[in-house]
Every structure is written in C-alpha cells, then in structure tokens.
Amino acid sequence: MKENTFGYNTFRIPVSPAYQEVFSHFYFAENKSSEIITKTLLPSYQTILIFSFGAVPSLKSGQNTLIDVENCLMLGPIKHAFEYTLPAGAEILTVNFKDDAFYRFFGNAAIAEHVPINPDELLNEDCFTVLWHELNKLDRIEDRVNHILKFSDPYLIYRPKVAEQLANFSQQALNPIKAVADQNNQTERNIQLNHKKHFGYSAKELGRYQRFLKAIDLIQTLAKNASKIDWFEIISECGYYDQSQLIHDFKHYINLSPAKYLKFQQDICNPIS
C-alpha cells in the first residue's frame, strides 16, 4: 500500500527474510501538508509499536478515548478499528509484530490488549526511550528500520513447538486446535490456552476476523469491476449465514455497515493489503 496525496505520504516497508517470522512489515506515514489528516486503521489482530517523530499524532479508540503518541507507544492486538490523526509535521513509523512475536519479546501476548502502554514499562527499563533517541538522529527510513531490526535480536526468546505449529498451520479444511492437539498428544483445551497465551487471541476469534477480512478484500475487488455490489455473493463466498451476520461483523470490527465501508474506504487503511 502506497499513498501520496497533497503532502500525505504513506507506504509499507517489507521485512528481510531473516525477520519475516517476527515482523510482517513496517509502516511509514508523514504529513507534510498544512492540514490535519485523520485516517481509520482496520483491525489487524497484530500488536503494533508506534514511533512518533515531529508533531505529536494522536489515536482515538472506539470508546472515543484520545491518546497522544509521544516518542513510542505499544498497542494491540488490534481487534477493532481506530482513528489516528497526523497534524502538520507529524511522522510515524510502525512496527507490526507477527503471530506470536510479541510474546517472544515480552512474555505475555495479551498485556497491551486493553490499554496502550509505553513499551519500557514491559521491560522495566528505558531501552525503548533510548532507541527512540537513536532513531530520531537517523534521516533515512531504511536506516531506522535496520536499526530496529538489530535492536530486536537480543530480546527474542525461543519459540515453542506448539506456537510454531499454530502460526504455520495452513490446512483450511481442518480445525487447527484439534489438529495441533492430536500432533502433540495434548487436550484441545490446553492448545486453546496456549493459543491465547502466545497470540493474545483465540483461534475462534482469528477465524471470525479472517472471514471479515475476506469480505473486505472481495468488496474491494467487486467495487473495481462492477457498478453495483452483489451483497449475496459476498455472503455466500465468505461463509456468512445471512446479511445480518455480515452487517454484525462490520459493526463489530469497524463500526460501519458494509455499504458505508464501501463509501468511505478511501479514508480507511487496511494494514494487511
């Protein structure tokens, strides 16, 4: 995803193969215009670390809580859409943790779920504040990304076999919890608990989110190729029971109906695409 509109610049930065098990990508956005820019970020079910440079940006949750992002902030797993605002002169660099990577750094995947938190509080030291000062001295985005990658190396802990199996599970016809439980001769309940512990959400939550994401992608595809959306095609292709269930999921994740999402999608950032 790349956007350059009237001084608002944003793009994704891919991760080198050595770190693709840990980070999905980096995301950069800056506001070089004279206007205040507000966007909505779709849920990603990832934990994110936001570094802020220049003017102070802010986040607004679904409960209308306004949070300033000064230096750095940890947030996630992102289960619902939220607004972010970039005043003139603001610049953000976002680190997107993949699967169980947040647990491998901090030992508790759900610790930042309910409230944003300064990452230094998770380690009981000011290393992220120090990191921000080091990043602030660098001009090139690529240099900042490489510096973050090198910084992360000493903090990564061993990845348990069960977490690896869950993260890499790709057989859509099978229940991942049951299949991994059978592979390890463990109960499904134990695997469920491990999933929540390492990822910060249950496999059932993830399945619902993936269905919603499939609907988002299909809506965008159909909108490009048809003058009118066939909502019943969306329902059928994505496995919804009926239109009310489709609408309920959109309200749950982004507080918009599918039709309103289609109307306002230019102001909505999809962290996956």
Side-chain angles (χ1 to χ4, degrees):
M1 178 177 66
K2 185 174 183 178
E3 184 176 347
N4 188 325
T5 308
F6 304 114
Y8 173 61
N9 306 313
T10 176
F11 53 87
R12 289 165 58 103
I13 304 163
V15 179
S16 62
Y19 294 93
Q20 287 178 356
E21 188 181 273
V22 182
F23 306 112
S24 62
H25 64 284
F26 288 76
Y27 173 80
F28 174 78
E30 64 178 352
N31 181 9
K32 289 190 172 181
S33 75
S34 58
E35 305 293 326
I36 296 174
I37 294 175
T38 297
K39 296 284 184 176
T40 298
L41 182 71
L42 287 182
S44 64
Y45 271 69
Q46 293 175 293
T47 297
I48 62 175
L49 174 61
I50 307 171
F51 289 99
S52 166
F53 308 96
V56 178
S58 61
L59 311 177
K60 187 170 74 172
S61 70
Q63 293 74 37
N64 290 322
T65 302
L66 194 64
I67 303 153
D68 289 336
V69 183
E70 297 182 1
N71 296 352
C72 56
L73 190 72
M74 188 76 72
L75 187 67
I78 310 298
K79 298 183 180 181
H80 301 278
F82 66 83
E83 288 185 355
Y84 67 93
T85 298
L86 298 179
E91 181 180 312
I92 59 172
L93 178 61
T94 301
V95 185
N96 296 265
F97 290 87
K98 185 177 180 181
D99 298 327
D100 61 326
F102 183 80
Y103 178 90
R104 294 178 64 189
F105 272 92
F106 300 105
N108 189 336
I111 198 167
E113 179 176 359
H114 300 294
V115 293
I117 190 170
N118 185 320
D120 284 337
E121 295 179 23
L122 302 176
L123 296 175
N124 295 317
E125 54 181 296
D126 62 356
C127 56
F128 280 92
T129 299
V130 172
L131 174 61
W132 179 86
H133 282 287
E134 292 171 348
L135 296 174
N136 198 36
K137 295 175 183 177
L138 302 175
D139 295 324
R140 297 176 67 247
I141 304 303
E142 294 81 2
D143 291 338
R144 289 178 176 174
V145 168
N146 290 332
H147 195 75
I148 292 170
L149 293 177
K150 291 179 181 178
F151 167 86
S152 70
D153 281 332
Y155 291 95
L156 279 174
I157 62 173
Y158 170 76
R159 189 185 208 183
K161 182 177 70 171
V162 167
E164 181 178 3
Q165 290 171 338
L166 288 169
N168 296 329
F169 195 85
S170 59
Q171 297 172 276
Q172 295 184 359
L174 298 179
N175 181 324
I177 298 298
K178 186 178 187 308
V180 173
D182 290 343
Q183 290 177 36
N184 294 276
N185 195 28
Q186 295 186 26
T187 66
E188 292 184 33
R189 176 60 177 165
N190 192 45
I191 300 301
Q192 287 172 344
L193 292 173
N194 270 278
H195 196 292
K196 182 72 173 181
K197 173 183 175 183
H198 289 277
F199 293 80
Y201 47 81
S202 69
K204 184 177 180 179
E205 285 181 271
L206 181 61
R208 180 185 180 185
Y209 165 70
Q210 289 174 335
R211 180 181 62 183
F212 162 77
L213 199 62
K214 183 177 180 180
I216 287 284
D217 290 340
L218 187 54
I219 287 171
Q220 292 176 334
T221 299
L222 293 176
K224 292 177 182 177
N225 302 315
S227 58
K228 186 177 180 181
I229 296 291
D230 183 348
W231 295 109
F232 291 100
E233 180 180 353
I234 304 289
I235 292 166
S236 175
E237 288 291 326
C238 299
Y240 285 99
Y241 293 122
D242 52 27
Q243 191 170 5
S244 64
Q245 190 185 30
L246 172 68
I247 293 172
H248 185 266
D249 264 14
F250 270 71
K251 291 281 189 178
H252 173 77
Y253 288 116
I254 60 176
N255 201 30
L256 291 173
S257 69
K260 284 189 175 180
Y261 166 76
L262 183 62
K263 182 178 180 180
F264 297 110
Q265 63 175 309
Q266 69 272 10
D267 293 322
I268 298 176
C269 298
N270 187 340
I272 306 301
S273 63

